[in-house]
Amino acid sequence: MKLNFPTYELKLRIENNKHQVFDILRKKWVALLPEEWVRQHLIHFLKEEKNYPVGLMASEMYLPMNGMRKRTDLTVFNRKGEPILIAECKRPTVKIDQKTFDQIAGYNWELKVPYLILTNGLEHFCCTFDLETKEYSFSVEFPDYSQ
């Protein structure tokens, strides 16, 4: 499916009649589900267009939350190893709405990162979280890693 990202040459293969994509963060082949297609495009976009170091990004990082194990689709760290951005990737047929925002905002109560990204590959939302005021503000641009 064509997404609202630049075109990237992702490594694809079929193994046991199942489509797979190579995840450059986990350094392994993973099932090519619609949300994975979106995540891989976001990873490449952040790497190629916004200068995010691959070594400071993590796919599917586990997060303890209210006695449950949740996971962020993508987490980015600063050079001190502190999380600074989390992203939630949905399949293109899933509408980005308040429920989606509430999901990632809930993760952020645990992590307290300054940047959140929500995307279904077609629509992208980026917001900043002010750690002092606990307020979110939306931005039209994804931050460059240097910011």
Side-chain angles (χ1 to χ4, degrees), residues 24-80:
I24 62 172
L25 303 184
R26 292 177 276 184
K27 296 179 175 52
K28 68 178 188 176
W29 293 94
V30 297
L32 183 54
L33 302 172
E35 55 272 15
E36 190 65 47
W37 183 245
V38 172
R39 178 183 10 223
Q40 292 304 316
H41 278 80
L42 177 60
I43 290 167
H44 284 268
F45 175 80
L46 292 175
K47 175 182 172 266
E48 299 296 331
E49 315 303 327
K50 297 298 181 175
N51 305 305
Y52 283 66
V54 171
L56 296 177
M57 290 191 268
S59 291
E60 296 192 339
M61 187 181 92
Y62 281 98
L63 173 68
M65 207 170 121
N66 298 327
M68 299 169 54
R69 284 183 56 165
K70 300 289 185 175
R71 64 169 178 77
T72 60
D73 286 332
L74 182 65
T75 306
V76 178
F77 301 88
N78 63 20
R79 300 213 180 266
K80 296 176 187 173

